[in-house]
Amino acid sequence: MSENLLGLQVTPGEVSRVVQDAIDVGYRYLDCAPLYDNEREVGDAIRARIQDGSVLREELFVSTKLWNTCHQPDSVLPACKESLTNLGLDYLDLYVMHWPIAFK
């Protein structure tokens, strides 16, 4: 299960539909994280709505998070690039630490 835009559980495979519906009704801030295990589906939805002309990438504010095992300086860029790949995006509008504590 993954969290949707409201923090509710969404079955894998439904995330793209939920995000597309959210964009359709006016959501422009999309909060993601590797922990939610849905970046690929969120990215699929974003690209679908961009491709069908519903929204421009510049109209969306997409954020994702750095997971707690990746706080070491040499881990940050690879983790960010992995999220960009998963989302299928060229850039993020915000990239933050998921929690302010690191895990081993």
Side-chain angles (χ1 to χ4, degrees):
M1 298 289 253
S2 298
E3 290 187 22
N4 72 7
L5 298 169
L6 302 174
L8 305 172
Q9 296 296 309
V10 179
T11 304
E14 292 182 359
V15 173
S16 182
R17 180 191 52 79
V18 168
V19 173
Q20 288 182 55
D21 290 349
I23 290 171
D24 290 345
V25 299
Y27 279 74
R28 294 298 181 259
Y29 173 60
L30 303 170
D31 181 42
C32 309
L35 176 66
Y36 307 155
D37 198 30
N38 64 9
E39 286 182 327
R40 289 190 193 279
E41 286 188 77
V42 171
D44 291 344
I46 291 169
R47 287 189 311 283
R49 286 301 177 248
I50 290 170
Q51 289 173 355
D52 75 9
S54 297
V55 69
L56 300 173
R57 169 62 183 95
E58 296 78 17
E59 295 173 332
L60 299 173
F61 192 93
V62 180
S63 69
T64 196
K65 300 170 189 74
L66 179 69
W67 185 236
N68 302 340
T69 57
C70 300
H71 286 195
Q72 291 296 321
D74 61 341
S75 299
V76 175
L77 187 57
C80 183
K81 286 182 178 181
E82 183 175 351
S83 284
L84 284 168
T85 297
N86 290 340
L87 289 163
L89 298 176
D90 295 328
Y91 67 94
L92 297 166
D93 297 289
L94 180 66
Y95 190 60
V96 298
M97 289 181 169
H98 200 111
W99 290 334
I101 57 170
F103 294 162
K104 286 188 176 184

